[in-house]
Amino acid sequence: MPVDFNGTWNLVSNDNFEGYMVALGIDFATRKIAKMLKPQKVIKQDGDSFHIHTTSTFRDYVLQFKIGEEFDEDNKGLDNRKCKSLVTWENDKLVCVQTGEKKNRGWTHWLEGDDLYLELRCENQVCRQVFKRA
Ligand code: VL7
């Protein structure tokens, strides 16, 4: 039985989001707005199929994938770079590798207690986000 990420989650902390956005080449004005946001994630999981909707007052982002099936990701409304993405289980963690122009790009999701964690990686920058159930 895989871990169950289903639920609605609110951001409560966001460490080094600025460094992550700089690594992605996000412009100053957009970064100023983006770092004020408190995004919400709505995760719908059916076994190894995921639908993750990240919403905010500024931009939304939808990601759909199946574990072990590589897909094209467009990062629309984020940095808009296309990449090939693959999500796999590493024990109870969801690990995504985003292959493209940016080195070392990807993210990891896991649960700790009743909190949702997200580590976002790009080049030499790591952003750590924590979410609590809405
Ligand atoms: C998505 C943001 C910074 C541009 C706007 C910020 C809008 C709300 O990929 C992500 O989550 C995965 C795992 O849950 C599923 O898609 C993180 C936020 C990364 C990158 C780029 C700043 C402009 C934030 C959508």
Side-chain angles (χ1 to χ4, degrees), residues 35-122:
K35 68 182 166 199
M36 299 301 295
L37 301 172
K38 294 278 177 261
Q40 184 174 72
K41 271 187 203 290
V42 178
I43 302 182
K44 295 194 165 86
Q45 175 187 358
D46 180 8
D48 276 353
S49 294
F50 286 81
H51 186 285
I52 302 180
H53 193 178
T54 308
T55 63
S56 75
T57 52
F58 180 50
R59 303 255 170 92
D60 284 10
Y61 191 67
V62 177
L63 193 69
Q64 255 186 288
F65 59 87
K66 281 188 184 141
I67 298 296
E69 294 185 9
E70 192 177 61
F71 59 98
D72 293 307
E73 188 173 4
D74 63 8
N75 296 287
K76 201 170 159 63
L78 304 179
D79 67 319
N80 296 303
R81 279 189 196 85
K82 293 181 183 5
C83 59
K84 296 273 186 196
S85 300
L86 176 66
V87 185
T88 55
W89 288 112
E90 285 188 14
N91 299 309
D92 286 344
K93 294 187 176 185
L94 274 183
V95 179
C96 180
V97 175
Q98 295 171 306
T99 306
E101 193 185 323
K102 288 289 175 184
K103 298 292 177 215
N104 192 37
R105 184 173 184 172
W107 52 258
T108 300
H109 260 306
W110 70 96
L111 297 177
E112 245 178 73
D114 207 33
D115 295 339
L116 172 73
Y117 283 72
L118 173 62
E119 181 182 280
L120 295 159
R121 298 175 291 277
C122 182

Side-chain angles (χ1 to χ4, degrees), residues 20-31 34 78-81:
Y20 175 73
M21 288 193 290
V22 169
L24 281 176
I26 306 301
D27 68 83
F28 180 85
T30 305
R31 294 201 313 270
L78 304 179
D79 67 319
N80 296 303
R81 279 189 196 85

